[in-house]
Amino acid sequence: MSDLPLGWAKASLGDSCLLITDGTHHSPKNDSEGEFRYITAKNIKLYGLDLTNVTYVDADTHAQIYRRCPPKKGDILYIKDGATTGIAVINPLDEPFSLLSSVALIRPEPQLLFEKFLCHLLNSPEMFQQMTGDMTGSAIRRLTLTTITRQTIPLPPLPEQRRIVVKIDSLSGKSKRARAQLDHIPRLVEKYKQAILMAAYTDAQRHSGRLSTLGSISIEVRNGLSKKPSDDPSGFPILRISAVRSLSVFLQDVRYYPTTETVPETALLRNGDLLFTRYNGNPDFTAMCGMVRGLTRDTVYPDKLIRVRLSEAADPRFVEIICAAPQSRDWLSPHIKTAAGQHGISGTDLKLLPI
């Protein structure tokens, strides 16, 4: 905080504020009943007060706490104890309430400090580092009121403080809007992917000379191994059910088949094999198809997956796309049966899938 701009000054928080205090240690007899809210660190979040889970105290208890720490609307509430130390919010409540001792109340001198500027300053990484450098305690680290009071802060002229706040709020608003837009991207990508798959299916259907079934172009449709795998890496790699997702097989997502069990050669995977999820707790993940690519070691698959090995008449890359298209998912959906909370499809029904 050296080399301050012209017109700025340095001052301690104690000299720049009318009041710096905290609440008191108190354990209410009844958390859900009482006349006055009892605000604790759990209610203070970066975006403001979270009042979904509030403790209450009776009038006598509130009076004892309020005499020491009388909050006003516009005061800054600052967590000074525990894992969330350093979060500051501006009190939005125009009503009396009580504070726990883990929360400090800071009331700026309005002729020196704009409360929104001080709140942004207290939430800055630099101020957090400066404050927490003086924390005490081992099990629960905490800031004392003395430590908070003696902290040095930069003090611009009031008009400059207001301009800084306007700029920060503007940038924060843009950041929030950008995050909201980014949250939509995965859904848009999935929607676009489904549109491409649908168009590919329609195009293939238009140019197709005949309609086949998955069974008629396969030389094998086989369930995997049923023995329970373990995490012992001395065993034989066996895929988890989660390894298969639409248009992909994650070969690194494995457990291990017991070393005491013989691994049949018929269970070994090959590049070009198609794997379908046979069972899943989510019907949207049942009968999903992915092609095995990039095998570098012998790997087997569990009985919750179905392996389809195609004849030379069919390109597995093409069949993978057709099986993932919305038209195929629509055909498969009524063939997915539910039992004991699990959704499954049989190899017999899978063979009937139109290709």
Side-chain angles (χ1 to χ4, degrees), residues 12-20 106-109 112-113 118:
S12 69
L13 269 175
D15 291 337
S16 309
C17 295
L18 296 174
L19 180 65
I20 298 178
I106 302 173
R107 184 172 299 156
E109 163 57 65
L112 296 174
L113 262 178
L118 180 56

Side-chain angles (χ1 to χ4, degrees), residues 7 34 56 123 133 151 247 256 296 319 336 348:
Y56 289 84
N123 283 321
Q151 295 301 314
L247 300 173
Y256 298 93
T296 58
V319 177
I336 295 174
T348 301

Side-chain angles (χ1 to χ4, degrees), residues 134-205:
D134 285 337
M135 288 179 78
T136 61
S138 53
I140 298 177
R141 302 190 70 200
R142 53 175 52 91
L143 289 168
T144 65
L145 291 180
T146 301
T147 297
I148 295 172
T149 300
R150 73 182 182 209
Q151 295 301 314
T152 300
I153 62 170
L155 201 60
L158 271 176
E160 184 69 12
Q161 293 180 34
R162 295 180 184 276
R163 283 195 293 270
I164 290 171
V165 167
V166 169
K167 187 62 176 178
I168 291 175
D169 289 346
S170 173
L171 293 173
S172 297
K174 290 178 181 178
S175 178
K176 288 178 183 177
R177 289 192 295 274
R179 284 196 297 272
Q181 302 236 348
L182 286 171
D183 288 342
H184 290 300
I185 288 178
R187 292 191 291 272
L188 293 174
V189 169
E190 182 59 28
K191 188 174 181 181
Y192 185 55
K193 173 183 166 184
Q194 293 303 311
I196 291 174
L197 290 170
M198 182 178 288
Y201 188 104
T202 301
D203 192 56
Q205 197 173 38

Side-chain angles (χ1 to χ4, degrees), residues 47 134 255 307:
Y47 58 81
D134 285 337
R255 296 189 76 189
R307 183 184 67 195

Side-chain angles (χ1 to χ4, degrees), residues 92-112:
L93 300 177
D94 195 9
E95 62 181 72
F97 59 87
S98 294
L99 280 176
L100 184 64
S101 61
S102 60
V103 180
L105 183 148
I106 302 173
R107 184 172 299 156
E109 163 57 65
Q111 301 301 316
L112 296 174

Side-chain angles (χ1 to χ4, degrees), residues 194-195 197-203 205 321-333 353-354:
Q194 293 303 311
L197 290 170
M198 182 178 288
Y201 188 104
T202 301
D203 192 56
Q205 197 173 38
I321 291 171
I322 295 301
C323 291
Q327 294 93 325
S328 292
R329 296 297 303 170
D330 290 343
W331 187 93
L332 288 164
S333 183
L353 176 66

Side-chain angles (χ1 to χ4, degrees), residues 290-340:
M291 189 184 89
V292 176
R293 299 170 170 85
L295 267 178
T296 58
R297 60 177 177 174
D298 288 342
T299 304
V300 293
Y301 63 104
D303 65 342
K304 288 190 175 181
L305 298 176
I306 300 173
R307 183 184 67 195
V308 174
R309 189 163 286 169
L310 301 175
S311 68
E312 293 182 357
D315 186 332
R317 296 170 299 176
F318 170 78
V319 177
E320 179 190 36
I321 291 171
I322 295 301
C323 291
Q327 294 93 325
S328 292
R329 296 297 303 170
D330 290 343
W331 187 93
L332 288 164
S333 183
H335 294 83
I336 295 174
K337 305 299 190 293
T338 303

